[in-house]
Amino acid sequence: MPAPMVHPVLKNGVGAFIPQCRRLVFHYCERSGSSRGMIEYLKKDLIQFAKEHPHVEVIVTPRPSKHPVIRGLYLNGKDKVVCVRNMEPTDIAGKVALLKESAGNRMKVFKKPVISTTESVRGIWSPFHAAPHKI
Amino acid sequence: MLRSFTSRMVGAAQRTNSAVTASAVRLFSATSTASQATSTSSTASSSTPSTTPSTDAQISLLRNQLKYYAVAEIKNRPYLITKNDIIVLDRLKDVKLGDVIELNQIKELGSKDYAIQGAPYVSSEYYSIKATVIEQPKGKIVETFKKKRRKHFQRRYHIKPLHTLLRVSELEVKA
């Protein structure tokens, strides 16, 4: 019987930090007007971004007759797609930064300020180990 | 019902008896500017010590324990953290992915039986607490709905909060 898959418990940031975004794919259309800002961004700002982030693989591919799109691929295998139709280069740079700083997880509501998997340090209260109450 | 107590007893059996007396003699206080030993008061109900322990003696008591927690103050908000935790903050503008932040506003530094409360903060020569920026995501849309009935008033506000996630990479008590 083959051995079951063992998934390591990953704690990114404790020993070493590994950036989670590994690829950004830029799709644009040569002809359509909604890609105008995207083409300007690709010419002006993208090379600088790629130099500053060598861990991110940057791919630029024409996708004719479609709106311009940025697709980010992450280390957990998931991807995030952002449509940047009719956006200016500064707005597109903002979307690129958003994708670069994310980690591939779903967007969720953070209800608690601290997310912890360690057991409580002081232990769980038990009536047999607490000072008896006095009336 | 006995069922709930048995599950508690399994975990409680691992604790030592010193927890019974030590939990009553739990808290000591230390001033933030103390480089020399300062006089402190213990909030014990059962025992009245004749001499108050010095800060260094308190730290050595703490260092003999195994696990630690700290109450860190970041942007005027308290976060109770242990090692490997993720802290969820509002977006920090002047920070990049991978940056390591040293937390130096620590209100309380504690373990199972002892805790040191700062006044207002514990002196930073007694601990080393570091956090790494691991992610800066956007949260899910939060909707606030306000309505006053029979007054033709209702509003919907939508916020998509920006966060910074910090991973506590180091939490150590130094001698």
Side-chain angles (χ1 to χ4, degrees), chain A residues 12-13 113 115-116 118 124, chain B residues 15 82 85-86 88 132 136 167:
Chain A
N12 196 18
I115 304 168
S116 179
T118 48
I124 300 182
Chain B
R15 285 195 238 115
T82 54
D85 286 355
I86 299 177
V88 181
T132 316
Q136 292 195 305
R167 172 86 72 178

Side-chain angles (χ1 to χ4, degrees), chain A residues 10-26:
Chain A
L10 300 172
K11 293 195 172 76
N12 196 18
V14 175
F17 168 68
I18 299 167
Q20 294 291 304
C21 180
R22 66 178 168 107
R23 186 190 301 162
L24 286 175
V25 183
F26 294 79

Side-chain angles (χ1 to χ4, degrees), chain A residues 21 24 26 38 41-42 45-46 49-50 53 56 58 70 74 82 84 89-102:
Chain A
C21 180
L24 286 175
F26 294 79
M38 172 67 130
Y41 174 81
L42 295 175
D45 302 323
L46 182 61
F49 172 84
H53 303 92
V56 178
V58 173
I70 311 174
Y74 298 92
V82 175
V84 292
T90 41
D91 303 325
I92 294 176
K95 293 292 180 187
V96 168
L98 169 75
L99 287 173
K100 180 252 302 180
E101 286 166 352
S102 288

Side-chain angles (χ1 to χ4, degrees), chain A residues 11-14 17 100-101 103 107-110 113-116 118-119 121-122 124-125 127-129, chain B residues 8 12 15 26 67-68 79 82 84-88 98 132 134-136 138-140 160 163 167 169:
Chain A
K11 293 195 172 76
N12 196 18
V14 175
F17 168 68
K100 180 252 302 180
E101 286 166 352
M107 277 197 282
K108 57 182 178 180
V109 176
F110 291 101
V114 175
I115 304 168
S116 179
T118 48
E119 286 178 4
V121 171
R122 290 178 56 184
I124 300 182
W125 180 86
F128 303 107
H129 293 81
Chain B
R8 283 253 180 83
R15 285 195 238 115
R26 217 176 156 267
K67 293 195 277 187
Y68 305 112
Y79 296 89
T82 54
N84 304 335
D85 286 355
I86 299 177
I87 308 173
V88 181
T132 316
I134 56 170
E135 199 188 332
Q136 292 195 305
K138 252 186 170 178
K140 216 169 176 180
K160 213 166 194 188
H163 295 291
R167 172 86 72 178
S169 48

